[in-house]
Amino acid sequence: LSSRQLSACAVKTLDPVKLVYSLMDEGRRREAIQMTRKLAGFIVPPDVMNVCYKSLWEDEYDADALLQVSDVHYVINAALSLGNCSRSVPLTIEQVSDIYARAVEMATSTTTSEFGVVDREAIQRLLSHLVKAGTYNLLAQRFGSNRLEASAWPFLSMFLGPGAVLDVALSCASRGDISSLTIIFVRHYDEIGSNDLRAQVLERLPLGLSVEAYSHLLPLSANETGELFCYGDSNGAASQPFTLHASELSSRMQREEGLTFYLNDQDKLRTIDYMRMKSPEHTLNENSPFDASQWFGERAHRIHTFTGLLDPAVALCSFGLRRIGENDAG
């Protein structure tokens, strides 16, 4: 071609950010996210990215996308709504745990003031769900089903509803599973630690079970320091048992009996933080109509009737005297 046949033309430079918007407008959210990762040197506004991530969460329950959302209240609401998910939602217990952990992190972060104050009740609920997810994983490990990639549906459907922890504790008690029962009491004494609920759970234990095996879970008189458990005494011992907080009981039993109460150090700190928020000093419900002395006496009678043995019935009465006092026992 000769120079006379050539015509000048201009190449228009594409705006990468506008390209991201274009992909979003076409509903191609995942491609838009991939494009932003290639835009070195270009800044895509956070609200634009949030739209992409939120859309992937809402349309596909993409847990990784939700973890990238910077809108604090959106993540918190999504986490608190997990209990309403249907069975078909493709989330694993590991992903659910990560979502709760992220929501707790965002809710308690000092950098979230621009999004408004996160109320204390929401933080408590998030921590409660996160602690329950940890309990679920611990029990799954004990029952030989500790696959983190397993569906979260059993946890979401059975562990988050009202009275769910009590139901699980009653089930463990019926099987005589003291180790699992102890884990539940230590991690959730805010829900089942009161003497009346404690007695309700222990009633399910087989009558032939050694009283010493569950002596640390027996009802206990309220005390000024808020200690909820006894440990260290044995049948026939004249000395008073140690009264312990839940964290102290878990440390002692882990050291002396090898029982694992926490998934890791982070899980332990979160569990303790949650319990501190719950003001456990009133957990024993010292003003409730529950009659501890009557409970000890009636269960001792049933043990004697069932086993035909006097020693275990006397042992329970002895444990009761050291926990509720001779004056309380009448």
Side-chain angles (χ1 to χ4, degrees):
L1 295 176
S2 65
S3 58
R4 293 180 180 180
Q5 293 175 298
L6 293 176
S7 59
C9 65
V11 178
K12 185 177 181 180
T13 303
L14 290 176
D15 184 340
V17 177
K18 288 184 178 179
L19 180 57
V20 171
Y21 277 100
S22 177
L23 291 171
M24 288 176 54
D25 290 340
E26 295 174 15
R28 298 157 66 182
R29 313 293 190 189
R30 203 173 294 280
E31 292 179 56
I33 292 173
Q34 293 173 349
M35 176 61 68
T36 60
R37 292 171 180 166
K38 299 177 181 179
L39 297 180
F42 294 92
I43 299 177
V44 179
D47 59 326
V48 175
M49 297 308 304
N50 278 337
V51 169
C52 292
Y53 290 130
K54 289 177 182 179
S55 178
L56 287 174
W57 167 251
E58 294 166 7
D59 295 342
E60 304 176 22
Y61 282 101
D62 186 323
D64 292 333
L66 179 60
L67 296 177
Q68 298 300 319
V69 174
S70 62
D71 183 332
V72 177
H73 291 285
Y74 182 89
V75 175
I76 290 173
N77 290 333
L80 292 177
S81 299
L82 287 174
N84 300 323
C85 291
S86 67
R87 187 169 194 153
S88 61
V89 171
L91 292 174
T92 66
I93 185 62
E94 183 177 27
Q95 290 173 325
V96 165
S97 298
D98 288 344
I99 290 171
Y100 285 138
R102 176 59 175 159
V104 168
E105 178 187 8
M106 296 178 77
T108 57
S109 172
T110 57
T111 62
T112 62
S113 58
E114 62 185 287
F115 297 97
V117 177
V118 177
D119 65 273
R120 182 182 179 87
E121 182 180 353
I123 296 176
Q124 283 187 353
R125 288 179 61 197
L126 288 169
L127 277 171
S128 173
H129 292 350
L130 183 56
V131 171
K132 288 177 179 177
T135 303
Y136 179 87
N137 281 323
L138 283 170
L139 296 180
Q141 290 174 11
R142 290 190 55 79
F143 300 152
S145 177
N146 58 337
R147 295 180 299 115
L148 290 176
E149 71 274 12
S151 170
W153 170 249
F155 165 73
L156 295 174
S157 61
M158 295 188 299
F159 250 70
L160 298 184
V165 172
L166 177 60
D167 289 341
V168 175
L170 290 169
S171 176
C172 290
S174 296
R175 297 195 305 271
D177 187 349
I178 302 299
S179 295
S180 295
L181 199 57
T182 302
I183 290 171
I184 296 170
F185 268 110
V186 165
R187 292 178 65 94
H188 303 285
Y189 60 80
D190 62 309
E191 293 193 38
I192 60 171
S194 62
N195 277 334
D196 53 347
L197 291 179
R198 193 182 301 208
Q200 182 180 338
V201 172
L202 298 183
E203 273 298 305
R204 292 286 188 91
L205 290 173
L207 291 170
L209 194 65
S210 167
V211 177
E212 289 190 12
Y214 59 90
S215 62
H216 56 289
L217 301 177
L218 290 170
L220 175 70
S221 291
N223 54 77
E224 294 180 355
T225 55
E227 294 163 336
L228 304 174
F229 301 98
C230 281
Y231 187 74
D233 59 341
S234 59
N235 183 23
S239 60
Q240 287 293 108
F242 297 103
T243 54
L244 302 171
H245 292 285
S247 59
E248 296 169 327
L249 176 67
S250 63
S251 296
R252 197 176 272 266
M253 292 194 72
Q254 182 166 359
R255 182 173 63 252
E256 298 180 9
E257 302 184 26
L259 189 59
T260 300
F261 290 85
Y262 307 103
L263 295 171
N264 48 47
D265 290 341
Q266 193 172 39
D267 176 51
K268 181 177 181 178
L269 290 174
R270 286 168 175 161
T271 303
I272 293 174
D273 285 345
Y274 170 66
M275 291 306 178
R276 284 173 178 166
M277 294 181 72
K278 295 294 289 184
S279 301
E281 60 269 20
H282 303 300
T283 298
L284 290 172
N285 289 351
E286 58 268 33
N287 297 320
S288 76
F290 172 74
D291 188 334
S293 60
Q294 180 179 349
W295 181 85
F296 276 103
E298 290 179 351
R299 182 164 177 85
H301 176 71
R302 284 194 295 274
I303 289 175
H304 180 231
T305 300
F306 178 78
T307 65
L309 301 174
L310 186 60
D311 286 348
V314 172
L316 180 64
C317 292
S318 178
F319 281 122
L321 287 173
R322 292 198 291 271
R323 280 155 179 73
I324 64 176
E326 296 186 22
N327 292 333
D328 292 337

